[in-house]
């Protein structure tokens, strides 16, 4: 992976934290650190990761973040969990051969309207 971590400014930390806890759980991603106004997510024992916080200005436009899934079932579980947590559907789970022959992804819009994706690039069911 070429990126160590990414941070996203959100409008409502409580709402976004609840959303990401639910949506990322099927991918094995959980809260690894919390500080005042900031929450960090990653897999157990991993460093860096995905951070949300309220310090700074929210992005002027929509951000796209894609989380890796080990198998397609995780992509489906992510999509279902995200929708149950209040996300809006932005692309049901399925193959996206225009990106790659094995690209299996699902897209949702988070509480701030950002395009959040889970993607599996293997044929593992």
């Amino acid at each position: 992976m070429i990126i160590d971590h990414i941070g996203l400014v959100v409008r409502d930390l409580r709402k976004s934290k609840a959303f990401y806890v639910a949506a990322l759980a099927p991918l094995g991603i959980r809260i690894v650190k919390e500080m005042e106004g900031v929450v960090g997510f990653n897999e157990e024992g991993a460093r860096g990761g995905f951070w949300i916080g309220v310090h700074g200005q929210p992005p002027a436009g929509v951000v796209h973040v894609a989380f890796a899934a080990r198998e397609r079932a995780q992509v489906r579980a992510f999509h279902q969990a995200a929708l149950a947590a209040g996300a809006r559907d932005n692309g049901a789970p399925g193959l996206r051969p225009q990106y790659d022959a094995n690209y299996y992804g699902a897209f949702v819009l988070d509480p701030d309207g950002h395009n959040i994706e889970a993607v599996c690039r293997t044929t593992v069911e």
Side-chain angles (χ1 to χ4, degrees), residues 8-46:
L8 184 60
V9 177
V10 297
R11 290 180 183 89
D12 183 333
L13 186 61
R14 183 191 57 76
K15 186 175 183 179
S16 290
K17 175 183 169 183
F19 167 77
Y20 283 107
V21 164
L24 298 179
L27 302 176
I29 299 170
R30 64 177 197 80
I31 293 175
V32 292
K33 188 161 188 166
E34 290 189 69
M35 299 176 285
E36 186 178 334
V38 180
V39 180
F41 295 85
N42 210 329
E43 295 176 314
E44 183 69 37

Side-chain angles (χ1 to χ4, degrees), residues 84-109:
R88 290 177 292 156
D89 181 32
N90 199 33
L95 284 169
R96 304 295 195 288
Q98 66 271 31
Y99 303 140
D100 183 82
N102 291 321
Y103 196 107
Y104 188 90
F107 304 82
V108 298
L109 300 178

Side-chain angles (χ1 to χ4, degrees), residues 16-85:
S16 290
K17 175 183 169 183
F19 167 77
Y20 283 107
V21 164
L24 298 179
L27 302 176
I29 299 170
R30 64 177 197 80
I31 293 175
V32 292
K33 188 161 188 166
E34 290 189 69
M35 299 176 285
E36 186 178 334
V38 180
V39 180
F41 295 85
N42 210 329
E43 295 176 314
E44 183 69 37
R47 301 182 97 162
F50 176 71
W51 294 81
I52 59 171
V54 293
H55 304 297
Q57 293 295 316
V62 173
V63 173
H64 177 201
V65 178
F67 291 94
R70 289 182 184 87
E71 55 190 41
R72 292 176 180 184
Q74 287 182 308
V75 173
R76 292 188 293 273
F78 155 82
H79 189 257
Q80 183 178 22
L83 294 178

